[in-house]
């Protein structure tokens, strides 16, 4: 699993580089043809991996422990201008939350989880390894959206 955690962190660092290459106005802009923006896609992966790993598995009783969950959860949309402080915090959380999941994994916290079926793919996730692999696919999907949005913004 070390390779899985490394991949997630490396992919998130690439997402951070994309954000760092744009202005705060650009990451908040909703390009034509989209219903969200770059910073929403980034915030969404930050909250989703925590929700999938801790809440949907039954480790945490609810999503209230996930910072920014209401702003970036599935079904939400950008509803305010995200300032530099929140962007910086999301960048930090994107890495520290994965390190925490890795720490909890090594401690055995996820040895017994409640299995669940994903709404998007219909995949039955029965262990944390499957949850994290699915999270990689989910993160990549939203990174791809952000790259497409970046191309439109830079035109």
């Amino acid at each position: 699993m070390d390779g899985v955690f490394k991949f997630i962190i490396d992919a998130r660092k690439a997402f951070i580089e994309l954000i760092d290459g744009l202005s705060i106005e650009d990451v908040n802009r909703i390009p034509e043809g989209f219903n969200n923006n770059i910073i929403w896609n980034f915030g969404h992966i930050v909250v989703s991996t925590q929700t999938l790993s801790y809440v949907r598995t039954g480790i945490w009783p609810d999503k209230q422990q996930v910072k920014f969950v209401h702003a970036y959860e599935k079904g939400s949309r950008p509803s305010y201008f995200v300032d530099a402080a929140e962007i910086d915090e999301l960048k930090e959380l994107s890495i520290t939350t994965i390190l925490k999941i890795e720490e909890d994994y090594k401690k055995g916290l996820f040895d017994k989880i409640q299995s669940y079926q994903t709404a998007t793919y219909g995949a039955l996730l029965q262990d944390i390894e499957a949850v994290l692999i699915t999270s990689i696919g989910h993160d990549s999907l939203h990174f791809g959206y952000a790259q497409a949005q970046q191309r439109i913004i830079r035109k």
Side-chain angles (χ1 to χ4, degrees), residues 20-31:
D20 287 346
L22 297 167
S23 70
I24 192 168
E25 291 77 15
D26 286 343
V27 299
N28 276 281
R29 182 175 155 208
I30 300 174

Side-chain angles (χ1 to χ4, degrees), residues 27-41 44 71-80 142 145-146 149 152:
V27 299
N28 276 281
R29 182 175 155 208
I30 300 174
E32 187 175 336
F34 289 88
N35 62 10
N36 57 40
N37 53 32
I38 290 171
I39 198 59
W40 184 91
N41 279 289
H44 179 67
Y72 301 107
E73 68 186 332
K74 182 176 181 165
S76 69
R77 293 184 182 209
S79 59
Y80 59 93
H142 286 279
Y145 288 149
Q149 291 170 331
I152 293 169

Side-chain angles (χ1 to χ4, degrees), residues 4 21 26 34 41 51-53 72 104 107 115 119 123 139 145 148-149:
V4 170
D26 286 343
F34 289 88
N41 279 289
T51 302
L52 294 172
S53 297
Y72 301 107
D104 289 342
K107 287 180 181 175
S115 62
D139 284 12
Y145 288 149
Q149 291 170 331

Side-chain angles (χ1 to χ4, degrees), residues 40-54:
W40 184 91
N41 279 289
F42 186 66
H44 179 67
I45 69 166
V46 173
V47 303
S48 292
T49 302
Q50 294 173 81
T51 302
L52 294 172
S53 297
Y54 291 105

Side-chain angles (χ1 to χ4, degrees), residues 107-127:
K107 287 180 181 175
L109 183 66
F110 301 107
D111 287 351
K112 183 174 167 71
I113 67 165
Q114 174 183 314
S115 62
Y116 64 92
Q117 193 165 13
T118 65
T120 305
Y121 302 108
L124 181 62
L125 305 181
Q126 298 182 329
D127 54 44

Side-chain angles (χ1 to χ4, degrees), residues 83-100:
D83 64 21
E86 185 168 322
I87 292 170
D88 287 344
E89 190 167 4
L90 285 168
K91 288 192 279 190
E92 182 180 338
L93 287 169
S94 76
I95 304 300
T96 59
T97 56
I98 299 304
L99 293 173
K100 178 64 175 151

